[in-house]
Amino acid sequence: MLGGVLALFLVFWLYRDLDVGRFLEGLGEARAGWVAVLAGTILLEQLLNGWKWRQILHDVKPVRTLRLTGALLAGYGANVLVPLGISPLVRSWLVARREGLKMGTVLTTTIIARFIDGVVFALFAGLVAMAGQVPRIEGNLELGLAVAGAVNFTLFGLALWAIYRFRELFAGEGPLVCRVFDRIAELLRANGAALRGALCAGVVWPRSRLHRSYVVVGAVLAKLVAASHYLWAGLAVGVVLSPFDYLFLMVFAGFSLVLSRFVRVPGGFIIGSALAFELLGVPEEQALLMILFNWMLSITLVVGFGLIVLWQSGLDIRRAQRETADMNV
């Protein structure tokens, strides 16, 4: 939460010359109907991510989409309480406990889902770069997006290939990497062999061609819905851009988020959005309103529902830490 506050401070600093009167006037005239649509699509994006995760988990155990979506939201809520990037552990812990699975198995499926998202995002970046529908500025922004997309695609593609290629190797006892892993697990008071087995059990891919296609469809639809957030926020304040502009906003802000994590600057997506709106020539007052609507609704809905799911699950952090230690939930 502190990072979000700092990010908002930086955004207001970027827009320090805006006309406050026009900003407040635009806020008062914002169309509530489009704001409601924005709220619905924010939740729809998470529902699609839960549906995609369901397809990956299907051959391990069919789990209802709403239950998986709730676990995703709970992970975001946990990140607010403990901002250490523990959301994958929390969502895996919840699903494993409710469905009688091993946490390591569920955790691997979340990693696979994240890598697939990275590959699909890279494809969108390539599409935006090849279409040539990016703002003209000093330097070659198209080339930058193309290179970043290619690097993203290569890294996530190789990670996916490595997971499936070396699954059997990691499950064995002889390789050095397995012995090192077991030693580290022993220092953490965990059973290394059992943990490796649970992790490898989650390296699955749907046997059904239909479910395999659903994984890709879910990832693509979730990204398209994410790109539409600024469409609805813009309609609420009277801003209409071209279809590729919304894709550009998603890609540029997404890469800004990744970069901010490397340089340890909070709110990369918000700051990236502000810079992208400036490149697109959107008036400062309307751009700031669009950013605030998107950010505040995301925090309120995603984190709010996530905290409710955590509360309903009766999550005990100390208990979760003990169960995480041996990965035998």
Side-chain angles (χ1 to χ4, degrees):
M1 186 63 72
L2 179 61
V5 173
L6 179 57
L8 279 180
F9 171 78
L10 292 174
V11 168
F12 275 104
W13 181 82
L14 288 172
Y15 290 133
R16 61 191 180 279
D17 295 327
L18 63 76
D19 187 323
V20 177
R22 288 184 58 189
F23 172 80
L24 294 176
E25 182 182 351
L27 179 61
E29 296 176 353
R31 299 169 179 84
W34 290 120
V35 175
V37 174
L38 170 61
T41 57
I42 288 172
L43 293 176
L44 176 60
E45 180 189 355
Q46 300 307 317
L47 185 66
L48 287 169
N49 284 325
W51 182 70
K52 175 195 65 191
W53 189 13
R54 182 180 190 275
Q55 313 311 316
I56 298 172
L57 259 175
H58 185 270
D59 288 352
V60 176
K61 183 177 182 179
V63 183
R64 290 187 295 114
T65 299
L66 285 178
R67 177 161 290 185
L68 294 174
T69 304
L72 287 171
L73 297 175
Y76 294 125
N79 262 351
V80 173
L81 297 176
V82 187
L84 297 175
I86 64 170
S87 58
L89 293 174
V90 171
R91 64 184 60 146
S92 301
W93 182 83
L94 283 174
V95 173
R97 188 184 67 166
R98 291 173 173 177
E99 301 298 330
L101 299 170
K102 291 186 176 181
M103 181 178 167
T105 301
V106 182
L107 179 61
T108 305
T109 63
T110 69
I111 294 172
I112 292 172
R114 182 66 62 87
F115 287 169
I116 290 171
D117 285 339
V119 170
V120 171
F121 179 80
L123 293 176
F124 273 107
L127 176 64
V128 171
M130 289 188 297
Q133 302 292 322
V134 297
R136 301 296 176 184
I137 60 173
E138 258 187 62
N140 195 329
L141 185 56
E142 291 177 13
L143 179 61
L145 289 178
V147 171
V151 171
N152 210 60
F153 181 86
T154 301
L155 291 177
F156 282 108
L158 285 175
L160 276 173
W161 174 83
I163 283 179
Y164 289 99
R165 175 65 177 80
F166 297 107
R167 172 179 49 186
E168 299 300 328
L169 177 68
F170 192 62
E173 299 294 336
L176 176 61
V177 65
C178 298
R179 297 198 300 273
V180 171
F181 183 90
D182 290 350
R183 179 57 181 163
I184 295 174
E186 184 181 345
L187 294 175
L188 297 175
R189 299 181 181 179
N191 186 325
L195 177 54
R196 284 190 289 104
L199 290 170
C200 291
V203 184
V204 293
W205 190 245
R207 289 188 292 270
S208 165
R209 183 177 301 175
L210 186 62
H211 286 292
R212 290 198 297 267
S213 65
Y214 284 165
V215 173
V216 179
V217 169
V220 172
L221 288 178
K223 287 290 179 287
L224 288 175
V225 171
S228 78
H229 292 341
Y230 280 131
L231 166 63
W232 315 119
L235 289 172
V237 297
V239 173
V240 179
L241 305 172
S242 73
F244 271 100
D245 285 340
Y246 297 111
L247 291 179
F248 168 74
L249 280 164
M250 180 190 70
V251 169
F252 191 90
F255 279 131
S256 298
L257 174 61
V258 173
L259 181 61
S260 69
R261 288 175 175 172
F262 279 106
V263 298
R264 302 296 182 182
V265 175
F269 189 89
I270 299 175
I271 297 170
S273 296
L275 294 174
F277 278 124
E278 184 177 350
L279 293 175
L280 291 171
V282 177
E284 292 185 343
E285 296 77 17
Q286 293 167 306
L288 182 56
L289 284 171
M290 293 166 69
I291 293 171
L292 290 177
F293 283 147
N294 194 9
W295 183 80
M296 294 181 69
L297 283 175
S298 295
I299 292 294
T300 303
L301 294 172
V302 175
V303 175
F305 277 113
L307 292 175
I308 291 173
V309 172
L310 284 176
W311 173 70
Q312 289 181 332
S313 69
L315 177 64
D316 184 318
I317 296 297
R318 286 175 297 181
R319 178 185 169 193
Q321 288 175 336
R322 289 196 301 270
E323 294 182 354
T324 301
D326 56 19
M327 292 294 202
N328 276 322
V329 180

